[in-house]
C-alpha cells in the first residue's frame, strides 16, 4: 500500500500538481488513495478539482471517497459549489452532487431539491434525489413529498422500484393513506408496486422480491380471490396436520391455492435477504482500503443500491 501523501497548502507547487494529477490517474487504486489523502488533509484549493472529478469518475468507491473529501471542507464553501452541479447537463454530476448533499446533511439544501430532480429521466439521478429528499425534508412537508414520490410508482426495474419503496417506507405515516389508494390504481404495475411497498411497511424483514410477488398475486387475482386462496391453503395445511404436511408439499394444487401465502413469502424472503446481505458484506470488506479503515470509513455499496449506487 502506498504511503498517503500529505497535501501542501501552497498551490502551484510540484507536490500539489502531482496530487491533482493522481486524482485523474488511470489506476483506480491511485485515484482512491489520492482522494483519501485530500480528504485527510483538507485544503480548500482542491474544491474545484474534487467537484470536477465527481462528474467523471467511473469507479463507485472512488466517487464515494471524493464525496467524503468534499465533506471534510467547510460547508460554507462546499455547498454553493455543489449546488451548481445540480444544474449540470451531465447526469453523473447531478447524481453525485445530490449524493454529496446527503453526506453533508445540511437541511438548508432541502430548498434545492426540485420536482424536476425527483422526476429526472435518468434513473440514478432520480433514485439519489428520492433518498436525499427523504433525508432533508422538513416534517411539515413530508406528506407533500410522499404525494410527489407516489407519481413514480411502477417506474423502472427492480433496483429503481426498490429505491422508491425504501423512500416511501422511510416517510412513514405520511405515505400510508396515499399508498393504500394507489394499491387500487388501474395500472397493474402501479398497483403491484404500491402493494409491495405497503407489505414492506408492515413487515420490513419480508424482503422486496417476496413483497412484489405477493402484491402481483393479489393484483392478478383480486383481493377477494387472493384472500380466499390463502385461506384455502391455510385450511388445507391445518387439516393435514404434521403427518400429512410432507405429502401435501409434493402434491399438485390448483393455481390459486398453489400461490405462496404471505407467511411463506416472508420465510423465503428472509433466507434470501440473509444470503444477499452476506454476499454484499463480503464484497464490501474486500473493497475497503487500509486507509479507509484507519479513518473509520466504509464505502457505501449500493444499488446496487441497491440504494446508493454511485450516486
Amino acid at each position: 500500500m502506498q504511503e498517503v501523501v500529505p497535501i501542501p497548502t501552497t498551490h502551484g507547487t510540484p507536490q500539489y500538481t502531482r496530487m491533482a494529477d493522481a486524482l485523474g490517474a488511470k489506476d483506480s487504486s491511485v485515484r482512491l488513495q489520492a482522494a483519501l489523502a485530500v480528504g485527510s488533509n483538507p485544503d480548500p484549493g482542491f474544491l474545484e478539482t474534487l467537484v470536477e472529478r465527481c462528474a467523471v469518475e467511473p469507479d463507485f468507491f472512488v466517487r464515494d471517497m471524493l464525496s467524503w473529501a468534499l465533506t471534510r471542507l467547510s460547508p460554507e464553501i462546499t455547498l454553493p459549489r455543489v449546488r451548481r452541479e445540480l444544474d449540470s447537463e451531465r447526469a453523473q454530476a447531478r447524481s453525485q452532487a445530490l449524493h454529496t448533499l446527503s453526506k453533508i446533511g445540511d437541511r438548508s439544501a432541502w430548498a434545492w431539491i426540485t420536482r424536476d430532480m425527483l422526476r429526472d429521466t435518468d434513473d440514478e439521478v432520480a433514485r439519489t434525489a428520492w433518498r436525499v429528499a427523504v433525508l432533508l425534508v422538513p416534517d411539515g412537508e413530508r406528506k407533500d413529498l410522499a404525494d410527489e414520490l407516489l407519481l413514480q410508482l411502477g417506474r423502472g426495474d427492480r433496483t429503481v422500484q426498490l429505491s422508491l419503496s425504501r423512500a416511501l417506507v422511510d416517510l412513514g405515516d405520511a405515505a400510508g393513506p396515499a399508498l393504500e389508494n394507489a394499491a387500487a390504481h388501474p395500472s397493474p404495475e402501479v398497483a403491484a408496486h404500491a402493494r409491495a411497498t405497503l407489505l414492506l411497511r408492515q413487515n420490513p424483514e419480508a424482503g422486496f422480491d417476496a413483497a412484489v410477488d405477493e402484491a402481483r398475486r393479489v393484483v392478478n387475482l383480486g383481493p377477494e380471490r387472493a384472500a380466499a386462496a390463502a385461506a384455502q391453503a391455510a385450511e388445507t395445511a391445518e387439516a393435514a396436520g404434521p403427518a400429512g404436511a410432507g405429502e401435501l408439499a409434493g402434491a399438485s394444487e390448483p393455481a390459486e391455492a398453489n400461490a405462496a401465502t404471505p407467511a411463506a413469502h416472508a420465510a423465503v424472503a428472509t433466507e434470501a435477504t440473509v444470503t444477499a446481505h452476506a454476499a454484499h458484506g463480503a464484497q464490501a470488506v474486500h473493497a475497503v482500503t487500509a486507509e479507509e479503515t484507519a479513518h473509520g470509513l466504509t464505502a457505501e455499496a449500493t444499488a446496487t443500491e441497491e440504494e446508493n449506487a454511485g450516486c
Side-chain angles (χ1 to χ4, degrees):
M1 182 62 66
Q2 297 177 342
E3 180 182 357
V4 175
V5 180
I7 300 298
T9 56
T10 302
H11 302 166
T13 65
Q15 294 91 339
Y16 185 92
T17 301
R18 282 198 297 270
M19 186 57 65
D21 290 342
L23 289 170
K26 179 179 293 187
D27 189 334
S28 63
S29 65
V30 174
R31 301 197 305 274
L32 181 67
Q33 185 173 341
L36 175 63
V38 172
S40 299
N41 300 272
D43 183 341
F46 276 99
L47 172 62
E48 192 66 27
T49 301
L50 289 171
V51 171
E52 290 176 355
R53 287 303 307 170
C54 281
V56 298
E57 171 56 52
D59 185 274
F60 166 78
F61 295 104
V62 178
R63 287 200 305 273
D64 203 52
M65 190 66 77
L66 291 168
S67 284
W68 171 76
L70 284 167
T71 68
R72 300 274 291 164
L73 299 174
S74 170
E76 285 72 20
I77 65 169
T78 305
L79 287 174
R81 181 61 186 89
V82 171
R83 180 181 185 179
R84 285 162 47 194
E85 293 299 287
L86 298 177
D87 296 323
S88 173
E89 294 183 359
R90 188 186 294 269
Q92 181 173 305
R94 300 196 302 275
S95 65
Q96 198 65 25
L98 287 164
H99 178 62
T100 303
L101 291 179
S102 76
K103 292 290 190 182
I104 296 173
D106 190 317
R107 287 184 173 269
S108 67
W110 161 249
W112 306 344
I113 309 302
T114 65
R115 282 186 171 85
D116 287 342
M117 294 177 194
L118 299 173
R119 302 175 183 181
D120 199 295
T121 56
D122 185 277
D123 287 341
E124 292 304 313
V125 175
R127 292 174 60 232
T128 313
W130 301 337
R131 176 166 52 84
V132 177
V134 171
L135 178 66
L136 302 180
V137 62
D139 291 340
E141 298 186 50
R142 294 175 71 84
K143 184 181 181 301
D144 290 341
L145 175 60
D147 290 342
E148 175 64 33
L149 294 185
L150 285 166
L151 298 176
Q152 304 298 314
L153 284 170
R155 168 180 174 170
D157 59 14
R158 176 192 179 279
T159 299
V160 174
Q161 294 194 4
L162 174 58
S163 294
L164 183 61
S165 290
R166 284 178 170 173
L168 289 168
V169 168
D170 287 344
L171 285 173
D173 293 340
L179 271 173
E180 292 175 359
N181 291 335
H185 196 279
S187 166
E189 281 299 318
V190 172
H193 193 181
R195 286 186 177 276
T197 306
L198 286 170
L199 289 172
L200 282 181
R201 290 187 70 218
Q202 297 164 4
N203 181 14
E205 300 301 321
F208 185 67
D209 291 334
V212 169
D213 289 343
E214 179 65 16
R216 286 175 176 166
R217 186 176 72 91
V218 172
V219 170
N220 290 334
L221 294 177
E224 294 183 359
R225 293 177 63 195
Q232 179 183 350
E235 290 175 2
T236 302
E238 182 178 354
E247 295 179 3
L248 285 172
S252 58
E253 297 177 323
E256 293 179 11
N258 191 44
T261 65
H265 277 296
V268 172
T270 298
E271 180 180 355
T273 302
V274 170
T275 302
H277 278 242
H280 180 67
Q283 294 176 351
V285 167
H286 288 296
V288 176
T289 65
E291 291 89 349
E292 288 173 287
T293 303
H295 288 85
L297 298 170
T298 52
E300 276 185 283
T302 155
T304 142
E305 185 297 31
E306 283 177 338
E307 240 326 50
N308 138 351
C311 306

